Structure formats: structure tokens, C-alpha cells
Amino acid sequence: MTHPIAISDSANFYVSAERIFDPSLKSVPVIVLSNNDGCAVARSDEAKALGIKMGEPLHLIRDKIEAHGVRVFSSNYTLYGDISRRVVEVYEDYTPNVEVYSIDECFLDFGGIKDRTTHARKMRRDVLLRVGVPVRVGIATTKTLAKCANDIAKKNPIFTGVLDMTDPALSDWLLPLVPTGDIWGIGRRTAKKLESLGISTAGQLRDMPLRRARALGTVVLERTVLELQGEPCIAFDDVEPPRKGMAVTRSAGVPRTDFDTVFQAITAHATRAAEKRRQHGLVAGTLTVF
């Protein structure tokens, strides 16, 4: 029996989080910078339309920023973490099992839900109403297929943010539209190797012989092929594995050379680390400052 898995991700998450508290940012180009204000790590759709690329250094896009009135923000990870937690709380009202994959993505157990599309649309509306962040949902029988469905839902407005790809016929139609480079777990080198063999879409990769996949990309690529075929190979981890360590790191925007400033920064980081440790019910064995 198939067991539907959904993945929900937040649209331009850092930008969406900033827009919650400043309505004037809606419909204007916005970018959020890395924690040393070096490059763009999040872009609104309007900023993307201006040609601002992910990871583009700030000093190379200053002309665009001034010419088009792009709003620029430094990263606020405390805010983003809090917004992420609120989004997960909404998800937990719609499924008993949530696996937090990243700050803006979660895998959701949709087993036992009859009308999954309607359920996902209600969840999207609830997240927007309660938190203020737009999300997109992809649903399938494996994590890799769910990621593909989510990617298609992002790029094709006809799906209105939700795509249930558990129907094999729908999968047959849509997988040829997904480039191999966009498939979860396929890196640039592997994508180039596949392209040299004439495999450039998820549909073509799905039909690749398993032995050939293993020879080209070890068991990792073989597992991806099986997942595209609808055979689950990546477990749903609804229980977070115990942490063996954690880090709180931030890059400074300017050099810090005097003792008091460095001491204050280390104190703030240590306080946050202790907070995270308590949240996970852990005891520290070693503390390292670097």
C-alpha cells in the first residue's frame, strides 16, 4: 500500500518573515543578506525578476538596488527560527507526524487522508492566516517524488500551490518536466554525468537501469531511481534523532578587536547555546569557543 508523504516549504522564507512585520514590503523587491552582509541569501519574486541571483555578492548589485529601490535586510535568525516554529505548530494540527527538514521545509505524514489536495489547501490557508507566510505543498508516495511535486507546484501557477502526484499517470506526465539538476540529491557533477548519457529529466532517470545507476553514482543514485519509481528508500523520521553537538555561530559585519566587544559577543552566543541545550533536554560535556 502507498503511504502518501507531503513536503511543505515556505515561499522566499526569510523575505516572507520580514514582510510579516512590515506590510510596506509587499510587492516591492526585497533581499536578505548572509550573516556577514556579504551576499543575497533570500530574494523576493520581484528581486528575482530584476536578475538578482542567489548568493550574488552585495557589492556587485548595488547599482540594481539603487536603481530599483530594492529593500535590503541583514539576516535575523532569531526571528526566522521563531516564525519557523510557528509554521510547524500549524502543520501539527493537520498531521500527527512532522519531520522538520530545514528552517523552511517539513515532511508531513499524509497517510489516511482521503482528499489530500483539499487538506493541503486548508493547511496553506491556515498557515497564511495564523502566521502570515505563504507555503507550497507537494504530495507523493516517496520523499524524492514529493520534492519533485513541490518543485513543480512552485513553478506552475495552475496548481495553486498544491500538487498531489500520488497518481502514477500524473507522475508519468510531469516527471519529464523536471530537470535532473533539480532532483533532490542530484548534484552538479552527477547531473553532468547523466546528461552525457542522454538523461536530462526526472522521467528519464526514473527509467534508468538500477545497475547502471549504481555504477554511475553508487547506491545513492540507485536509491534516487527507486524513489522516482515510487519505492520508498528514505525513511520518514517523525522522531528527531538525539543531538551529539550543537553550535551557535555568527559572522561579524565589522572587525571586533577590543576585549569587551568580543566578550559580549561570546556571552550572547553561549547564552543562546545553553537555551538550545535546555530545549533538547541535554547536558553539555564540552564547551568550545573559536
Side-chain angles (χ1 to χ4, degrees), residues 61 81 87 117 149 228 250-251 280:
I61 55 176
V87 172
T117 299
L228 290 173
R250 297 289 184 273
S251 297
H280 291 273

Side-chain angles (χ1 to χ4, degrees), residues 247-249 288-290:
V248 177
T249 63
T288 303
V289 179
F290 63 95

